[in-house]
Amino acid sequence: MTATSGTRPDTPAPSPPLPEPRGALSAAVVGALRGTHAVLPPARETERADAYGEDLHLALYTLYELHYRGFACVDDRVEWDPGLLRLRGDLERRFLAALRADLPPGGDVAEAMAALLVEPVMDDGNSVSHFLQDEGQLGHLREYAALRSLYHLKEADPHAWVIPRLRGRAKAAMVAVEYDEFGAGRAEDVHARLFADLMTDLGLDPAYGRYLDAGTAEALATVNLMSLLGLHRSLRGALVGHFAAVEVTSSPGSRRLARAMRRAGAGPAARRFYDEHVEADAVHEQVVRHDVVGGLLADEPHLAPDVVFGIEATGLLEDRFGRSLLAAWRAGRTAPRRPLGPPPVRPGPEGRSRDR
Amino acid sequence: MPRESERPRRVTVRRTGPLLVEGPVEVVLEDGSVVCSRRFTVAICTCRRSRAYPWCDTSHRRRVGTAETRSDERRPDERRTDEGKAEP
């Protein structure tokens, strides 16, 4: 591994462009990465920021992105810039404090998990997958996919960071699930790749980071939670709880989304992504619950409150995201911040675009 | 993943969930047809409610709702009485 991006024999995977700032915090981060902004906001400024607002979340998302794919024209080494890490820490503290304040304290793992393991007989009016299944138009599905692409194009990446922090049963099980997420040794089956194919089927641009400017605060926050929990060893219990919550709720939701894709006449790749998740996540749920969560708590029982926090924080942010989508759609508005634009021009017979 | 042939294949039984079998697995159905899953672990439906039978699709989960919603007529496949319990 090298710290700098030297010349390589083949074309390196392209990094996305920097996003457009949405306020003082994100402007400072983008400016610092461009090299046009020398002074970063002090802690008292982040303490006043809206903990769920789009300025804070875009600033945080942009700082986290340095640990994934970086940005075009930004030196890869700024990932470890002490000033940016200090700012990231301030933003994280603000976000974490809000989550802890908004979630009920205590609760045990079995109870938190049991609440996820029941299926509503019918939609209570707050479920995005029920809405899409029952009345979703192709336009809704495109918007949903564009916003979710902020995560799915790096699906399972934030969770890989927890691996060296686990041991024994929890580690073996976590790696097994991640292996499945990463295509079980086949590049064409990597879930992020299946999602890129889904986007192409829906007439979206599958380029990594393409819809960051379209991403709402609620959408960004769901991904920031994963990055936050993944990057901090001290939050490993919460990362595991979060991962369990995602895997437990994915299978029935994916079934509804697969139906929505069929109803709206989406192509085969769009249907395949959700069909795959119905079956895969029915397995992952069992393995994560019994071996990853069970193994971690056998090893480190004092992390139980953190596991609960991870489960509950995921629910809180997913609910906020869902409500924001449904509020927009029911009012006849588009959910993303920006129009998604027409489908990208397909490349020639050389094949479909790899992520540009 | 390499698996030594002398090592027995592990099947994990859960009272209220699917049978977990180390993959890859072939299942012969009643009509003689054979389906295959190559996943590292395969979850085989035991409640017979799965819409992806023989694979588990989490249809064993306890369904919750009011009496009013239980008589909902929109989706017959969703109107199943449920004796199953959420797992601990």
Side-chain angles (χ1 to χ4, degrees):
Chain A
M1 264 190 280
T2 53
T4 53
S5 50
T7 48
R8 295 187 204 160
D10 54 353
T11 322
S15 302
L18 282 165
E20 278 180 29
R22 303 185 195 177
L25 297 171
S26 51
V29 169
V30 171
L33 297 180
R34 280 215 175 91
T36 56
H37 228 82
V39 185
L40 292 171
R44 63 176 183 280
E45 218 167 295
T46 50
E47 280 158 20
R48 285 199 306 262
D50 175 359
Y52 299 108
E54 64 174 1
D55 186 32
L56 181 141
H57 279 283
L58 181 64
L60 201 46
Y61 191 98
T62 304
L63 290 168
Y64 283 144
E65 197 52 48
L66 301 173
H67 302 284
Y68 295 101
R69 301 265 291 258
F71 293 97
C73 308
V74 173
D75 189 329
D76 287 348
R77 290 171 298 185
V78 300
E79 178 186 0
W80 296 104
D81 178 272
L84 291 173
L85 290 176
R86 192 271 303 158
L87 175 58
R88 199 191 86 191
D90 291 345
L91 298 167
E92 287 173 330
R93 267 187 295 282
R94 181 79 190 92
F95 182 33
L96 261 179
L99 289 173
R100 292 202 193 278
D102 290 342
L103 291 171
D108 72 42
V109 174
E111 268 172 39
M113 208 68 91
L116 300 178
L117 283 168
V118 292
E119 267 300 289
V121 171
M122 90 178 258
D123 182 16
D124 62 357
N126 295 314
S127 159
V128 173
S129 62
H130 278 98
F131 175 91
L132 290 172
Q133 170 186 262
D134 295 339
E135 46 193 302
Q137 305 296 312
L138 204 51
H140 297 130
L141 294 173
R142 291 181 82 233
E143 293 186 6
Y144 182 75
L147 292 172
R148 283 290 192 199
S149 72
L150 298 175
Y151 168 58
H152 284 305
L153 291 178
K154 51 171 162 261
E155 185 165 332
D157 286 347
H159 313 106
W161 279 316
V162 85
I163 293 168
R165 290 122 189 210
L166 301 176
R167 298 193 309 172
R169 181 155 69 104
K171 175 179 255 176
M174 186 72 196
V175 170
V177 173
E178 286 282 89
Y179 177 72
D180 217 27
E181 298 279 349
F182 293 135
R186 291 171 183 236
E188 67 273 23
D189 290 339
V190 174
H191 285 184
R193 167 64 186 273
L194 299 185
F195 196 80
D197 294 344
L198 167 147
M199 293 178 78
T200 305
D201 250 6
L202 292 175
L204 295 167
D205 184 349
Y208 187 91
R210 166 68 180 74
Y211 295 106
L212 177 52
D213 284 328
T216 55
E218 292 83 0
L220 296 175
T222 63
V223 190
N224 283 340
L225 178 71
M226 305 175 194
S227 303
L228 167 68
L229 304 181
L231 282 167
H232 290 268
R233 192 182 74 86
S234 63
L235 295 170
R236 62 195 177 283
L239 185 284
V240 164
H242 153 79
F243 194 54
V246 170
E247 296 291 354
V248 168
T249 50
S250 165
S251 193
S254 295
R255 186 173 61 228
R256 290 187 282 272
L257 291 167
R259 278 194 194 138
M261 293 291 168
R262 284 188 170 81
R263 251 196 61 248
R271 302 194 303 262
R272 184 186 169 203
F273 179 82
Y274 289 110
D275 283 340
E276 158 70 9
H277 280 74
V278 172
E279 198 190 304
D281 293 344
V283 173
H284 295 179
E285 173 219 312
Q286 298 289 335
V287 177
V288 172
R289 244 161 9 96
H290 294 280
D291 293 326
V292 182
V293 174
L296 175 76
L297 291 179
D299 228 17
E300 302 190 89
H302 63 282
L303 294 181
D306 287 356
V307 172
V308 175
F309 173 71
I311 294 171
E312 304 282 353
T314 305
L316 182 140
L317 295 175
E318 284 294 328
D319 286 350
R320 286 178 63 91
F321 177 54
R323 281 198 303 273
S324 73
L325 291 176
L326 293 174
W329 290 338
R330 287 184 174 135
R333 285 184 283 118
T334 58
R337 279 180 77 247
R338 291 277 177 81
L340 300 177
V345 179
R346 298 284 185 95
E350 286 305 300
R352 50 216 300 157
S353 61
R354 314 172 50 211
D355 9 9
R356 262 185 316 151
Chain B
M1 263 181 281
R3 180 168 285 125
E4 291 172 28
S5 58
E6 57 269 30
R7 204 193 108 185
R9 173 155 307 196
R10 180 173 293 174
V11 177
T12 305
V13 182
R14 303 200 196 289
R15 195 169 51 83
T16 53
L19 209 59
L20 300 179
V21 185
E22 289 181 335
V25 168
E26 271 187 359
V27 177
V28 183
L29 298 168
E30 270 169 307
D31 64 359
S33 60
V34 178
V35 288
C36 177
S37 175
R38 302 190 173 279
R39 224 169 277 291
F40 67 96
T41 293
V42 180
I44 296 181
C45 171
T46 54
C47 73
R48 313 285 284 195
R49 289 192 204 118
S50 174
R51 278 156 271 190
Y53 194 81
W55 320 124
C56 171
D57 72 348
T58 72
S59 289
H60 57 273
R61 287 189 191 168
R62 191 160 61 90
R63 302 179 73 78
V64 291
T66 62
E68 189 189 351
T69 58
R70 277 193 185 280
S71 64
D72 173 48
E73 294 293 329
R74 286 181 312 158
R75 291 193 300 278
D77 63 337
E78 301 261 3
R79 282 185 295 114
R80 294 159 191 267
T81 50
D82 194 328
E83 311 83 37
K85 288 237 164 51
E87 291 179 51

